[in-house]
Amino acid sequence: MLAIIGGSGLTQLSSLDIRERKVIRTPYGEPSGVLSFGRLDMRDVLFLPRHGYGHNIPPHRVNYRANIWALKECGARCIVSIASVGGIRADLNPGDIVIPHQIMDYTWGRKSTYFDGTDMPVKHVDFTHPYDEELRRQLVFSAAAAGISVWDGGVYAATQGPRLETAAEIDRLERDGAEVVGMTGMPEAVLARELELAYAAINPVANHAAGRGKSAESVRFEHLGEILQEVMGRVRIIVEGVIGVIGKE
Ligand code: HPA
């Protein structure tokens, strides 16, 4: 079954016919909210809003371990994560959609493994390719089939937040090779890998990153609501297309 983790601007999937909502407890605490069990296109889908239904859980406080554990426990085999980003690369603009292929992790202090030597033995998972390539391809294919243009590939830098970055920090991320920046991609991706769930992301660009383009002087989110509302319409279409493919397998 496919699970969707919704980010800012997508706390619900309106096209989803919700059949049930369940409170799930895990050995790692509580997930961001109740899990919604829905049907779309005659297929079962799970939905969880990363920041809670009231959008009140900041990126560094999200219980990533509980979220991924709960989704697996409820039958998820694949996760599509939706997480908005700032665009670092000069040709990225608000409203663009990136399907990233690589990650760099600048977060700290987050509980980022299930294998921490207490309740599970130490294990070093392979993370050479952090996203599931087949699921990534399905997202790109679904977008193309719907006539929606996306960037196929991108290097995602995960920062700690909740503050935005300084211009110098964005310069450094760019020198490191990052193309987009967000606050929630890690440890979510690696936890999914640890639990052997196929994981891929859709990153709508919400703003130019600090010091870039329209954010040369400051990052202003004044048009954020409109941008996210419009871009999430396209994100939904991509997700719905993938649900159709995955459910058939
Ligand atoms: N930086 C970090 N995370 C973000 C940004 C950004 O500029 N925009 C949306 N999420």
Side-chain angles (χ1 to χ4, degrees):
M1 178 170 31
L2 179 74
I4 317 286
I5 302 183
S8 306
L10 199 96
T11 49
Q12 0 194 353
L13 253 188
S14 47
S15 40
L16 204 62
D17 171 19
I18 305 288
R19 302 287 171 96
E20 202 182 352
R21 293 182 206 274
K22 261 197 210 164
V23 177
I24 308 287
R25 289 186 214 296
T26 79
Y28 306 95
E30 287 187 21
S32 297
V34 296
L35 261 61
S36 296
F37 290 70
R39 298 272 295 170
L40 202 155
D41 212 6
M42 297 185 340
R43 296 184 173 108
D44 292 324
V45 184
L46 277 172
F47 182 81
L48 179 65
R50 183 183 295 109
H51 300 285
Y53 287 91
H55 202 270
N56 53 351
I57 309 172
H60 62 294
R61 288 204 180 281
V62 170
N63 191 339
Y64 296 96
R65 290 201 300 183
N67 285 354
I68 302 296
W69 189 273
L71 291 175
K72 172 145 186 172
E73 184 147 302
C74 291
R77 293 290 165 263
C78 326
I79 298 178
V80 172
S81 154
I82 297 156
S84 63
V85 292
I88 298 178
R89 224 177 56 202
D91 55 357
L92 287 176
N93 289 302
D96 285 4
I97 296 175
V98 177
I99 313 291
H101 74 296
Q102 274 296 336
I103 299 182
M104 290 194 284
D105 187 9
Y106 299 86
T107 66
W108 47 269
R110 301 184 182 184
K111 292 197 163 71
S112 56
T113 181
Y114 295 106
F115 301 112
D116 63 1
T118 51
D119 44 1
M120 284 211 206
V122 176
K123 186 174 168 188
H124 304 287
V125 291
D126 174 60
F127 206 44
T128 311
H129 299 289
Y131 299 103
D132 183 83
E133 189 54 25
E134 201 182 318
L135 189 53
R136 243 181 50 69
R137 291 257 63 83
Q138 282 166 346
L139 291 173
V140 171
F141 178 81
S142 168
I148 296 170
S149 57
V150 296
W151 294 95
D152 179 1
V155 179
Y156 175 103
T159 57
Q160 178 70 358
R163 69 165 176 85
L164 292 159
E165 300 73 33
T166 66
E169 286 170 334
I170 293 297
D171 289 343
R172 173 197 170 202
L173 295 183
E174 185 166 46
R175 283 194 301 275
D176 285 355
E179 298 173 290
V180 296
V181 56
M183 300 174 189
T184 56
M186 285 293 284
E188 202 173 83
V190 74
L191 291 167
R193 177 62 54 84
E194 285 190 353
L195 294 189
E196 297 177 357
L197 300 172
Y199 178 96
I202 304 179
N203 293 148
V205 178
N207 57 286
H208 290 118
R212 301 292 144 104
K214 288 190 188 128
S215 305
E217 289 311 315
S218 64
V219 180
R220 274 171 274 116
F221 282 133
E222 50 207 22
H223 298 298
L224 185 68
E226 295 155 46
I227 291 169
L228 284 184
Q229 201 180 358
E230 188 281 324
V231 75
M232 287 308 174
R234 281 178 282 139
V235 167
R236 277 194 185 94
I237 294 172
I238 298 172
V239 169
E240 287 165 15
V242 166
I243 291 170
V245 174
I246 287 183
K248 278 195 196 118
E249 288 168 354

